[in-house]
Every structure is written in structure tokens, then in C-alpha cells.
Amino acid sequence: MFRFLEEKFVPVAARVGNQRHLVAIRDGFITIMPLTIVGSLAVLINNLPIDFYQNALDSIWKHETWTQWGGNMWGATFGIISLLLAFSIAYNLAKGYDKDGLAAGVISLSSYMTFGTFGEGGLTGLTTGTGGIFIAIIIALLSTEVFCRLSGNRRLLIKMPDGVPPAVSKSFAALLPAIITIGVFALVRTIISAGFDIPDIVGSFYATIQEPFMGLTNTWIAALLLAFIPTFLWTLGVHGANIIEPFMQSINLPAIDANVAAISAGKAAPYIVNKPFFDAFINMGGSGTTIALIIAIFIIARKNKQYNTVGKLSAAPGIFNINEPLLFGLPIVLNPILFVPFILTPMINVTIAFFATKWGWVPAAIVAPPWTTPPIINGFLATQSWRGAVLSFVLIVVAVCIYLPFLAMANRVAKQEEKQEEKRDAELEAQNVEV
């Protein structure tokens, strides 16, 4: 089975993982990651549920003052996330075509704005914030495709004299492609608005497509798939987290934003499935909840030289959710024994975490800490509750229990192979002595 998957499936998965548009979306989100962390910090500042912390800040500033500070940080990050993505995704896609990324980013942002403004030309929080993410992604990809093809046409190139500064020459080289690209998107928006009487395209798209789609991804079945796909791909040596990252991010930021808004209004958080949910409860130690595998190695496989060495080397990175040393050191990749718990553990943990959240035992994730935040701490920060930390701990214990029997089996197989190798070496040595 592994040979078949390696020969037939892995090349396809590798091509998907390296697909130019998916890479551009992934890199676009990675580009703005510092800002999403700052935005999460703002939520943390305003909502950390520790009375001492809240009272201390109230004694320094008025409550409205320091919460306004956090709100201003949020407005400068999550509040303009669609605008940032319209630029960053286009920039990375154009770079993939070896074109002018800066021009492509600016043109994409302008093209998105043709869809984002309405009425007197005003912008809404839905347009600039997480509500416009899907349209921003679509327009970034389409506008960059149009721009890159037009910029390759010599008849549309305005050449400047040699003495003109390079920055000016680049601007004029992009002038005609920019006019055509932005003009096309403005025309499409005009036709939609006039022909279908839709003044707020972003709001209408959010209400009819983006929000229902996020609802579909907010189910237990969807959570199981999101837990299965990256680990399955990893067992074949393909970076599953990178492949699924664009999808995760597209549902992640709107879900967090909706959860924060609901909690601020005194309502229940509507979305369970988002990236901090997975980081806090599923990807502890990395894909496959491999922090538990490291613990299991220290419990029953310390006498196995290979496992013990790899476990020690993987412990420090594993605390910060980096597990490549473990994946390729044991290995887990193409391992017929360890691939079973590697896939099974996240699916069991996501089930426990999903229903624990659904039934109100643990709050929904509303903050996105950096993905390198250590397990248990991540659970507390993401949910703003000690119950999130407890759930993380419980899931690690569950994961250790799943890994232990499979690791014991793999350890026995490794010992048998080691004895067979020693026996072969002894036989070869005896033959050499006779000769």
C-alpha cells in the first residue's frame, strides 16, 4: 500500500503543495502573521479573564481607556486584514511569475477597493476586516493573473529614457496594465451593482456564501477531515500542514472575529473550528500530537538507542510544536506501525475537543497565540480559560495512551531487526575467519 501511495499519490500531493496559487495564498497569510499575532494580543489585553489583571489596569487607567488601546491595536490589524491580504497574496503570486510584486500588490488592492466601496464611497468594517477575506483572495489571484499577462505584452510597455530613475520606469511600465486591470474589475463591479441591484457586494457575498461556508466547516465531520488530511499527507513525506494552511487561514480569521464579537455582545461564540482550536488541542508538539509520542518514548523506549536519541533531540523543538526531527528521525514517514497512531490520535483528540467545546465544558477559542506557544499554555491563551489548559493536558494524556501500545510494538520490531542484524554480522565475521 505504501509503495502504491508513494508512486501514485505522493507526486500528485507534491504538485498540489507546490501549486503557485496555493503557495501565494499561504505565503500571503504568513506575511501578515505578525499582525494577526498583534491583533490576538489586542484581544488578550481586553479580555484576559484574571480579576487581578483587570483591576490593576483599571487602577492605572480608566477601563474605557485601556480597552480603547487594545481596540485601536485590533483595528490596525484584524480591522484591515482583507486589505492586507489583497496586497500580500498578489505580491507573492506575482513574484512566483517573476513579475513586479509591488505593482501587482498595489493594483490588487485597488481592484479589491472597486468591490469594497459603495454608496458615497465609504468603507465598512466588514469590507476591510475579516468579512472580505474570501473576495480579497479571489480578486488578488484574478487581478494578478490579468496584470502578469498584460505586463508581458511589449505593446503595453511605456519605456522611459535611460536617465529616468528605475522606480519611475517601473511605475510607467505598469501604468497601462494597471489601467486595464483596475478598469476591468471596476466594470464587473458596476455591472453587478447596476444589473442585480447589489450596492454592497462584499456584504452580500459574506451573507450568502462566506458565512454559510464557514458554518459547513464548523461541524464535527469537517473537524475530522481537517485533522486527518495533514497527518495522512505527512506519513507520505508531504508537508500536509502547508497544503491545508491556505484553507485553514481563510476560515480562521473570520471565525475568531465572529467569536470575539459574539462574546463581547454577551452571546455564545458561534465557531468551534478555527486554527487556534487546532493549535491548542490537536497540533500539540506538531501534527499528530507528537508531544505525546516524545513522552511515550521516555516511558517505554528509553533502552532503544535510536528512539531514545531521537526523542531527546526532538524534545526541545517539540515543546514549541516543531516535529520534523521526530517525523524523519524515527521515522514516522512511511512507517507501517507508527503511521496508525499518528493519524488516529488527532482524530480522537479533535472529537473530544469538539464536543467538549460544543457542550460548553470548555470555551471556544477566541485568541490566536503564535503556533509555537507550548502546549497547555496555548490552551489557556486560546480559550482565555483554565479549562482550556486542563483540556490540553487531558488530551496529551489520551494521546500518550494511544501511542504507547504502537510504540511498544515498533520497539519490539526494532529489537528483532537489531538482533537479526547482529546475527548476520556474526555469521559474516565467522565466514571471514574461516577464509
Side-chain angles (χ1 to χ4, degrees), residues 144-287:
T144 305
E145 286 291 336
V146 173
F147 169 74
C148 288
R149 281 161 174 70
L150 293 176
S151 61
N153 190 328
R154 293 183 178 180
R155 287 176 292 183
L156 298 176
L157 178 64
I158 299 177
K159 291 185 177 181
M160 303 299 290
D162 293 337
V164 175
V168 177
S169 295
K170 277 190 173 183
S171 297
F172 275 91
L175 178 58
L176 291 179
I179 292 172
I180 296 172
T181 303
I182 297 170
V184 166
F185 280 92
L187 178 62
V188 171
R189 187 265 160 83
T190 302
I191 292 172
I192 293 174
S193 297
F196 298 94
D197 192 26
I198 304 175
D200 182 5
I201 294 177
V202 174
S204 298
F205 184 91
Y206 179 82
T208 57
I209 297 176
Q210 181 172 329
E211 194 171 28
F213 174 75
M214 288 169 57
L216 290 175
T217 62
N218 196 42
T219 63
W220 173 56
I221 298 299
L224 282 176
L225 285 173
L226 292 173
F228 168 78
I229 292 171
T231 50
F232 172 71
L233 292 174
W234 262 125
T235 60
L236 303 174
V238 179
H239 201 306
N242 275 355
I243 290 178
I244 205 169
E245 183 71 8
F247 177 79
M248 286 296 295
Q249 289 288 7
S250 65
I251 66 172
N252 174 45
L253 298 176
I256 294 173
D257 200 23
N259 283 354
V260 171
I263 290 173
S264 299
K267 301 177 182 177
Y271 294 105
I272 296 173
V273 179
N274 53 34
K275 195 169 184 299
F277 169 82
F278 272 85
D279 289 343
F281 303 128
I282 318 304
N283 298 328
M284 293 178 288
S287 297

Side-chain angles (χ1 to χ4, degrees), residues 1-189:
M1 182 187 69
F2 270 112
R3 187 178 295 113
F4 171 79
L5 291 173
E6 189 175 6
E7 292 176 357
K8 303 297 183 182
F9 183 79
V10 170
V12 175
R15 284 198 295 272
V16 171
N18 293 320
Q19 206 279 330
R20 181 181 281 118
H21 299 86
L22 291 179
V23 170
I25 295 173
R26 183 196 70 203
D27 291 348
F29 275 101
I30 290 173
T31 301
I32 65 168
M33 184 183 295
L35 297 181
T36 60
I37 292 173
V38 172
S40 295
L41 256 179
V43 176
L44 192 62
I45 288 169
N46 282 14
N47 298 283
L48 189 65
I50 298 176
D51 291 338
F52 173 78
Y53 162 83
Q54 299 278 346
N55 294 333
L57 285 182
D58 285 346
S59 66
I60 298 171
W61 285 333
K62 290 182 178 180
H63 182 80
E64 295 78 10
T65 302
W66 65 264
T67 53
Q68 186 180 13
W69 174 48
N72 290 337
M73 290 172 62
W74 183 93
T77 51
F78 275 78
I80 57 169
I81 209 77
S82 293
L83 306 182
L84 296 171
L85 285 173
F87 179 90
S88 62
I89 292 173
Y91 176 90
N92 284 286
L93 181 57
K95 284 294 185 182
Y97 282 116
D98 292 324
K99 298 294 184 180
D100 186 351
L102 186 60
V106 171
I107 291 167
S108 170
L109 177 57
S110 183
S111 299
Y112 174 69
M113 292 296 287
T114 64
F115 279 72
T117 56
F118 67 96
E120 297 297 322
L123 284 169
T124 66
L126 189 67
T127 299
T128 60
T130 57
I133 280 182
F134 277 56
I135 287 187
I137 292 172
I138 294 168
I139 291 179
L141 297 177
L142 293 178
S143 66
T144 305
E145 286 291 336
V146 173
F147 169 74
C148 288
R149 281 161 174 70
L150 293 176
S151 61
N153 190 328
R154 293 183 178 180
R155 287 176 292 183
L156 298 176
L157 178 64
I158 299 177
K159 291 185 177 181
M160 303 299 290
D162 293 337
V164 175
V168 177
S169 295
K170 277 190 173 183
S171 297
F172 275 91
L175 178 58
L176 291 179
I179 292 172
I180 296 172
T181 303
I182 297 170
V184 166
F185 280 92
L187 178 62
V188 171
R189 187 265 160 83

Side-chain angles (χ1 to χ4, degrees), residues 377-390:
I377 297 174
N378 201 333
F380 170 75
L381 293 177
T383 61
Q384 298 287 277
S385 171
W386 61 268
R387 290 178 290 172
V390 171

